[in-house]
Structures are given as structure tokens and as C-alpha cells.
Amino acid sequence: MANRAFSTGNGPQTKLSRCSSSVGDSGTDKTKVGWTSPRDIWRNLSLRRKAELQSKRELFFKSDTVSGGGVSASVPPSAAPPAPPSTLKDALSKRSATLPEPQETNHVEANGIATKHSNSVSVDVSKPPSTAPPPTPAPPVPISAPPAPVPTPLRSTENIMKKAEHPPVAPKPDLPKIEKPKTKELDGYVGFANLPNQVYRKAVKKGFEFTLMVVGESGLGKSTLINSLFLTEVYDKDKHPGPSLRVKKTVGVETSVVLLKENGVNLTLTIVDTPGFGDAVDNSNCWQPIIDFVESKYEEFLNAESRVARKAAPPDTRVHCCLYFIAPSGHGLKPLDVEFMQRLGDKVNIIPVIAKADTMTPEECKDFKEQIMKEIGQHKIKIYDFPESTGEEGDGADVTKSLRARVPFAVVGANTVIEQDGRRIRGRKYPWGIAEVENLEHCDFLALRNMVIRTHLQDLKDVTSSVHYENYRCRKLAGLSHDGKPHRTNSNNLCPQGLMNSFMTVWNPLAQMEEEKREHDLKMEKMESEMEQIFQTKVRDKRAKLKESEAELARRHEATRRALEAQARELDERQRALNAERAAWERDTGLSLDDLRRRSLEANSKETVDGKEKKDKKKKDWSFKSVATGISI
Ligand code: GDP
């Protein structure tokens, strides 16, 4: 890669501009041309230590997709470098050697070319020596280039994001034309060319997450392939037996998370498997739990994104890739395969995989692949479309193209390593030979692994985020269910003009407010009826209590009445007894009570009269005596 950068005719000039801008203390070196100073030799030696870091960076940026035309397009023709680095990767590999530390500034390969290039002169391009050719400084990275417009539209969206036939909601205002910024050459090293390094360091520190789903009937070699893909026991046989050992009557969705480390890069890998898929006698709707799982992850992400207090980057547990295992029947797709891929194709990146490819001859395998691709086309199934270019050029691009042509990947999985001719081979040993897993002549395992992990992992994540998740989000906000039908019977919140043009045309805030008001009214009505019910219950309770106390009162009244009647009867009885006693007494004495009463009255009155007469006489005597004596009373 670096060789490519230095193999250009004006390479030294390119290099010179880098050196002069990065060293910074080259005041004394500016005039030295053509010899190796001790300092340069020391630099070369120190740069060998950079080789390890460099390889890690390459590993990281291998999967980056960078528009190759961006650089050359941005450089004005007058100052066009003869062959500027065409990809960010190339530029980065050069720039990585120009980190601020003086001993790390030169870009030199750790090979024989090192000394030659380290003889470079630290010349300030702004003040070239009189003998030097006219300066044509070439920016090592596309420093001022505006990103070139992406020529290709989002993949796999045509079916959902159909262009509406109505005019846009609001006519576009005539905006003033924005002028393309002019490219300015810099007189020295500013430092923003180090940005890719910052991004790299941040990304490595944060780590990466990837969710891979495997779907297929049990026994097709899913767990074996996953272990082979990541060269480790992702499925620990004791703790986490493969799907075939967990066959269930109904389809289940299970996840297992492992943290993988490679050259200091951490990958949190989530494997989602679906034990029980396609194993029942009646497999209708066996895809539903899988659709529910995929959508629940989108829902989680949407909720995390729409929280008021949200994280800058919510955890991404969305399913980025689904390996769909096709049985090596040689007879094309089964109805279940078609149904599953049709239903999931616009929700997740499906990569079809022919399982146990060692059970077919190369010719059979070729025919089978053709048949499958034909059926995929016939049934309008959407599978993940590997982009032709990953930003690589030359051999890398050709390799990608040839690997892309191998879809659907016919794979062989094996967890055993066999020793043969001093070589350690991962493969399946048969009496007639070894089916090598990592041999492109035997199967497409390497193609699958390279495409999914090495070159297209980031693209899988990008497509998940920008196509499948966006579609889900759009459907969700438009109130549509996963089959595209309206969620609610009254879909007032959809714009009348159409549904699927863009978020703004789908979303109608006024209608949404009305909908919310309607929901609020319904809620109030419900509350009212609930309160009414509670009131009725209370009234019923009160009435029951009143009735009870009424009955109690009546009971007590009855008891009192009975007691009084008994008393009355007793009194009557006693009255009668008294009368009888009186009658008996009158009979015995011959007197009646009336006679007795009369006599007693008479006796009383006589006594009273006698007593009065005596009193009057006494009074008279007294008054006579007093008159005689002259005393008045
Ligand atoms: P799963 O149920 O889909 O997870 O399948 P397993 O990974 O448990 O594999 C089931 C059986 O198939 C095991 O005996 C594996 O050794 C075997 N197997 C796995 N991959 C291959 C393959 O590529 N070719 C052949 N012939 N057998 C395989």
C-alpha cells in the first residue's frame, strides 16, 4: 500500500511536503539535500516500531468504504498532484507516520525502501531552493475536499420508500446557490490530517458490537459454522449447546454474547439462534417469533433514541446479519425457505448459505446455486446485496468482485484441525480425502468469512441502520404494522397525500394532536364510566346497609312491642286477681269498699268539725279577756 504511494513519479515531492510540515524543527535541515543524517537513520529505526500499529490500522480501515473520486476531484487542476493517494486508507497509512512526535513523522515502510526514502530532505515547500523544481505540493489526505455525493441510492428501499406521485408538501424555497469552497494550499502542517487517527483511537477504545442471527433447520451445521467463523467455541458445548441439542416443539429465539479480542480490537458478538425453526410437522408461522425478535430490537433502539435523557450512542442490539441455512438438497428452495426470506428480506440483511456443501460435487453445487439465485429472483426475495466496491482498488476490488459472485455461499463447517504434510488444516476427514474448510476450491467458507467479517461488517451495520431500521421507524411513525397495513382503524395521523415519501409527508402533527385529543377523550370517558360504576356500587352498599338497619329496627320494635304486651297481660292478670280478692273480702266482711270509703270520709269530716268548734271557742274566750284588760290583739 505504501509502495503504491511512493511509486509515483513525483513521489519525493509529495513526501517532502509531508516532511517539512511535520518535523517542525527543520530549520537546520532545510538546506540539506541528498545525504543521510544520523538523525534520519535513527528515525528510520524508530519507524520500524510503527509497523505493528500500522498493521492494526490497516485491519481497522480495511472495511471502510471511501469514495475514491473524492481526492482527485477536489484538487484544482493547476496544483494537481501527479498521483495523489486515492483512498483514505492510503492517505492514513502515510499520515499515520506524521504524528506530532518528531521521531514518528516520516512515513517509511519497514522494508528495504526505508533508507532510500529517509534520505528525504526537510525542505519547506513555501521556500523551495532555487535548484528545486517548481513546488507542486500534494495534500496527503483529502484535507479540504468536500465529500463527493454518493452516486448510488440506498439499497433495497425501492419497495418501501416509493416516491409519491403528488407534489411535495411545501414548495421548495429558492435558496441561494452555495458556492463550492475553494481549495487552499497550506504553508505548513496544521494537524487536522490527524483526524482519522483520532477516529481510529476512539473507535478502538469504544469497541465494536455485531449481532449475527443464524436460521435454519436443526442439524444443518449452524453451530459448527459459527465456531469455525470466529475460530473459537462460541457455542460452548457444556454451557451452551448448539441449536440442534435444544430442539423445541415451538420456535424459540435465544441469544449468546461473547467478547472477542483480536490485535487489541474488541468485538462484542451476539449470536442469535432460533432452535426449533422448521422442525415441526406444521411450520406455518414459525417465522413469526423471529420477526417479533428483530422488530423488538428496533423498538428498543427507537425507544432509547427518543428518550428525553438519551445516551449519545444507545447500545446497538439490532440484528445486523442473518445467515439463512439452505439444506443441500440440490432441488432448489423449499416453500419454507421462500416464505421466510420473503418475510424477513426487508427487515434484516439476509445472506443465504448452502449448508454442508461437502455433500455435493462441484457441478451439483454450481447448478444448485444457479437454481437458488433463479428462485430468489422469481420470488422477488430481497437478500443482502454486497456492494461491488469497498473503496479498495486493484487486487482488493477484484477479489471482492470474485467473492461476491459466490453468493449463495456453499459452506463446510468443522471444528477439528487435521495435521497433513506438516500443515494444520481445519476440515472434515473422509476416507477419500479431506474437505478443507478454508480452501476456496473446496467451499465458499473463506469467501463468506472475508465478506461478512473482514470487508463488509461495517456495511452490514450501515445498511441495518440506514435501510431496515429507517423502514421500521417510518412504518412505526406512520402507524403501520410489519405487514404494511395500518395499525389503527382510524389512521387520521397519516397525511392524505400519501404515505411513503418521506418522514415529513408521513407525519402530520395536527392530525396527531387530534388523535391524542381523541385518545384523551376516550380516556376521560372510560374514567367517567369507571367512577359511575364506583358510585353505583357505593349507593348499592349504602342501600343494603340502610335496609339492614331498617330490619334491625323493625326487629327491635317488634321485640319491644312483644315485651310491652306481655307486661300489659301481666298487669291485667294482677288487676283481675285484685278484683277477685276485693270481691272475696267484701263477701267475707259484708261491707263494700264504697261503704267503707264513705264511712271513713264521714268520720274524717266529723273530726274536722269538732276540732274547729273548739278552736273558735278558745278564740272567743281570749278576745273577751283582752277587752276586759284593755289589751288589743
Ligand atoms: P445445528 O443444529 O444446525 O447447529 O448443527 P450442528 O452444528 O450441531 O451440526 C450437526 C451435525 O452436522 C454435526 O454432526 C456436525 O459435525 C455436522 N456438520 C456440521 N457442519 C457440517 C458440514 O459442513 N458438512 C457435513 N458433512 N457435516 C457437518
Side-chain angles (χ1 to χ4, degrees):
M1 181 172 52
N3 285 343
R4 219 184 323 146
F6 283 106
S7 66
T8 59
N10 290 328
Q13 282 171 1
T14 311
K15 180 165 60 62
L16 290 182
S17 70
R18 272 202 318 280
C19 293
S20 65
S21 60
S22 57
V23 172
D25 60 349
S26 56
T28 54
D29 292 339
K30 279 180 184 172
T31 51
K32 291 176 193 170
V33 182
W35 72 86
T36 309
S37 68
R39 184 175 174 168
D40 284 337
I41 293 169
W42 181 78
R43 275 179 193 154
N44 298 337
L45 288 172
S46 71
L47 281 166
R48 286 176 193 274
R49 276 183 280 144
K50 295 287 293 173
E52 196 185 333
L53 178 65
Q54 185 65 24
S55 69
K56 283 181 192 173
R57 284 188 182 129
E58 284 187 15
L59 184 83
F60 172 71
F61 280 102
K62 206 147 193 153
S63 62
D64 270 4
T65 310
V66 180
S67 171
V71 179
S72 53
S74 67
V75 181
S78 60
S86 58
T87 64
L88 177 60
K89 186 181 66 179
D90 287 349
L92 177 70
S93 63
K94 288 180 184 179
R95 178 53 60 200
S96 65
T98 61
L99 286 169
E101 301 89 359
Q103 68 272 32
E104 293 182 356
T105 49
N106 269 350
H107 177 91
V108 185
E109 279 287 288
N111 55 24
I113 312 165
T115 319
K116 190 177 164 215
H117 287 291
S118 66
N119 281 342
S120 60
V121 190
S122 297
V123 178
D124 191 340
V125 286
S126 58
K127 296 174 196 167
S130 55
T131 52
T136 51
V141 289
I143 47 176
S144 59
V150 182
T152 45
L154 284 181
R155 283 166 283 143
S156 313
T157 48
E158 319 80 52
N159 59 323
I160 293 172
M161 308 288 275
K162 276 191 190 122
K163 213 169 180 223
E165 283 161 10
H166 57 82
V169 176
K172 271 188 186 171
D174 282 342
L175 294 171
K177 238 186 173 181
I178 299 166
E179 268 186 41
K180 228 179 166 187
K182 282 179 194 156
T183 309
K184 292 272 182 188
E185 287 161 24
L186 307 175
D187 290 341
Y189 178 67
V190 177
F192 54 80
N194 194 38
L195 274 174
N197 289 328
Q198 292 180 27
V199 175
Y200 164 79
R201 277 195 290 266
K202 203 174 162 191
V204 168
K205 196 175 162 202
K206 189 168 161 257
F208 300 85
E209 39 198 14
F210 187 66
T211 303
L212 178 67
M213 180 184 249
V214 284
V215 183
E217 291 160 38
S218 62
L220 286 183
K222 296 185 290 293
S223 11
T224 311
L225 189 86
I226 294 297
N227 286 343
S228 311
L229 272 180
F230 294 96
L231 297 177
T232 184
E233 293 274 310
V234 177
Y235 282 115
D236 189 341
K237 278 206 176 90
D238 303 329
K239 284 188 201 155
H240 199 102
S244 58
L245 302 177
R246 288 173 282 136
V247 175
K248 292 182 179 171
K249 282 189 184 132
T250 52
V251 181
V253 180
E254 293 175 4
T255 54
S256 40
V257 185
V258 279
L259 179 67
L260 304 175
K261 293 187 179 197
E262 187 179 57
N263 288 350
V265 177
N266 291 352
L267 175 71
T268 308
L269 174 72
T270 307
I271 301 288
V272 181
D273 61 44
T274 52
F277 177 84
D279 293 336
V281 178
D282 177 9
N283 284 311
S284 41
N285 274 334
C286 72
W287 47 81
Q288 197 54 49
I290 301 169
I291 293 180
D292 291 346
F293 180 83
V294 169
E295 300 221 315
S296 73
K297 293 296 158 189
Y298 288 145
E299 174 97 41
E300 268 174 30
F301 196 81
L302 182 62
N303 288 343
E305 264 191 336
S306 10
R307 266 191 207 118
V308 178
R310 62 179 179 173
K311 286 184 186 169
D316 185 4
T317 53
R318 296 169 292 185
V319 179
H320 302 116
C321 175
C322 168
L323 294 182
Y324 186 77
F325 283 69
I326 300 164
S329 63
H331 292 295
L333 296 174
K334 287 196 266 183
L336 179 59
D337 301 334
V338 174
E339 194 70 42
F340 177 85
M341 288 198 274
Q342 271 182 338
R343 283 173 187 269
L344 269 285
D346 58 355
K347 292 176 181 59
V348 68
N349 294 316
I350 295 180
I351 299 178
V353 164
I354 299 172
K356 300 188 177 181
D358 54 329
T359 57
M360 290 187 283
T361 65
E363 289 74 33
E364 282 169 349
C365 189
K366 189 168 160 278
D367 293 347
F368 192 41
K369 278 186 177 187
E370 278 170 12
Q371 175 68 18
I372 289 173
M373 288 314 283
K374 202 171 114 198
E375 288 184 30
I376 283 177
Q378 275 171 359
H379 294 290
K380 296 192 172 63
I381 292 170
K382 283 178 230 87
I383 57 171
Y384 173 66
D385 184 17
F386 284 96
E388 269 188 43
S389 159
T390 54
E392 283 177 301
E393 281 184 347
D395 292 351
D398 293 343
V399 170
T400 306
K401 257 186 202 168
S402 71
L403 296 185
R404 192 172 176 267
R406 289 180 174 249
V407 179
F409 299 105
V411 294
V412 174
N415 292 331
T416 45
V417 177
I418 303 157
E419 288 261 359
Q420 200 199 32
D421 305 333
R423 281 195 310 145
R424 285 169 59 78
I425 305 165
R426 187 176 272 264
R428 306 185 73 82
K429 194 170 185 180
Y430 297 108
W432 49 90
I434 296 173
E436 293 178 23
V437 170
E438 294 176 7
N439 186 339
L440 277 172
E441 282 174 15
H442 291 202
C443 71
D444 300 330
F445 173 84
L446 266 187
L448 174 71
R449 189 169 72 188
N450 280 357
M451 301 282 286
V452 171
I453 301 172
R454 287 194 195 162
T455 54
H456 287 77
L457 192 143
Q458 191 54 45
D459 188 67
L460 283 162
K461 291 183 76 167
D462 290 346
V463 174
T464 303
S465 179
S466 58
V467 179
H468 300 305
Y469 172 65
E470 280 306 312
N471 285 344
Y472 171 82
R473 196 164 162 271
C474 208
R475 276 198 307 268
K476 183 85 184 166
L477 294 176
L480 301 175
S481 63
H482 63 78
D483 52 4
K485 289 176 188 151
H487 247 320
R488 309 166 192 177
T489 43
N490 180 8
S491 52
N492 280 338
N493 56 344
L494 304 182
C495 275
Q497 295 100 325
L499 294 179
M500 289 301 167
N501 192 18
S502 69
F503 173 73
M504 280 315 290
T505 53
V506 169
W507 193 245
N508 182 348
L510 276 177
Q512 175 64 18
M513 275 166 69
E514 260 178 40
E515 177 76 1
E516 278 171 9
K517 189 177 168 295
R518 201 177 58 83
E519 274 173 14
H520 177 76
D521 289 349
L522 276 175
K523 211 169 150 187
M524 292 306 288
E525 261 177 41
K526 203 176 152 208
M527 273 170 70
E528 220 169 273
S529 79
E530 275 173 10
M531 282 173 75
E532 182 68 33
Q533 268 183 6
I534 292 169
F535 177 73
Q536 294 290 351
T537 319
K538 285 202 166 167
V539 167
R540 254 201 316 276
D541 288 354
K542 205 81 189 162
R543 280 200 178 138
K545 271 189 185 166
L546 277 174
K547 260 191 183 170
E548 253 178 43
S549 57
E550 208 178 296
E552 174 70 18
L553 273 176
R555 203 172 39 77
R556 274 159 59 182
H557 170 77
E558 185 64 25
T560 318
R561 193 179 59 80
R562 282 204 197 116
L564 286 173
E565 275 177 5
Q567 272 182 15
R569 271 197 303 276
E570 195 186 327
L571 281 175
D572 281 351
E573 202 69 20
R574 284 167 72 180
Q575 180 76 40
R576 267 196 302 277
L578 185 67
N579 287 344
E581 201 178 332
R582 191 176 79 174
W585 181 79
E586 281 176 348
R587 239 186 349 264
D588 291 347
T589 55
L591 285 173
S592 71
L593 266 181
D594 293 335
D595 290 342
L596 202 62
R597 199 177 292 127
R598 193 169 26 87
R599 276 188 199 175
S600 120
L601 279 173
E602 279 173 2
N604 276 347
S605 59
K606 200 177 170 186
E607 249 176 49
T608 313
V609 172
D610 288 350
K612 207 176 175 184
E613 276 176 358
K614 276 182 190 171
K615 237 182 183 177
D616 287 344
K617 200 180 165 191
K618 254 187 187 177
K619 239 181 181 177
K620 271 179 190 170
D621 290 347
W622 179 255
S623 57
F624 176 71
K625 276 181 192 171
S626 11
V627 171
T629 55
I631 302 165
S632 64
I633 300 167

